[in-house]
Amino acid sequence: DGTTIETIDPNDPSVSKMLQDELRKSEHTDTRRQEEQLRSMTVQEKMLLLLKLLRDRVKVEAVIGNDAHARNLRLLAYCLKAGNDEERQTLIKDVMGNSLDA
C-alpha cells in the first residue's frame, strides 16, 4: 500500500554513537522536575503516559529486533493497518505460512 517503514541498524557505528549521545542527553534532564510533574498528574494521566511509553517501546523493539518476537510485533503492526480481515489473514499466512490451526 506504499507505506514506508524506516529501520535503523544499531550495529552501524554512526547510529550507535547517535543513540549513545541521545541517551546521555536524556540522563541529564532535571529529574526533580519530572518527579514533580508525575506527582501532579491524575491516575488517568499516568495510565495514558504509561500506555504511550509502552507503545513507543513496542515500536522500537519491532524496528530494531531481529528475532521472532520482533517479527511478530512487525506482523501485528501490519495487521493493525490492514483494511479488513481478509487482508489480515493473507498477511499472517504470508509470514507464518500454514502452520496456524484453522
Side-chain angles (χ1 to χ4, degrees), residues 6-87:
E6 296 183 32
T7 60
I8 58 172
D9 181 10
N11 298 322
D12 182 0
S14 63
V15 172
S16 178
K17 183 180 181 325
M18 179 190 64
L19 291 173
Q20 289 174 356
D21 291 344
E22 288 299 318
L23 179 61
R24 275 191 223 105
K25 286 179 191 175
S26 68
E27 289 174 346
H28 294 298
T29 58
D30 186 10
T31 56
R32 287 184 190 159
R33 184 175 53 100
Q34 290 176 347
E35 289 174 1
E36 185 60 36
Q37 285 177 338
L38 283 175
R39 283 191 199 110
S40 66
M41 294 173 91
T42 66
V43 173
Q44 293 86 354
E45 290 172 329
K46 288 178 182 177
M47 287 298 294
L48 181 60
L49 175 63
L50 288 173
L51 288 171
K52 288 179 179 179
L53 293 172
L54 178 61
R55 178 193 64 196
D56 292 341
R57 179 178 173 167
V58 168
K59 284 181 183 179
V60 169
E61 286 183 27
V63 170
I64 293 178
N66 290 325
D67 58 356
H69 180 70
R71 182 199 67 211
N72 292 341
L73 289 173
R74 284 190 295 273
L75 177 60
L76 176 61
Y78 289 131
C79 286
L80 290 173
K81 292 208 178 258
N84 57 43
D85 285 341
E86 289 179 27
E87 288 180 18

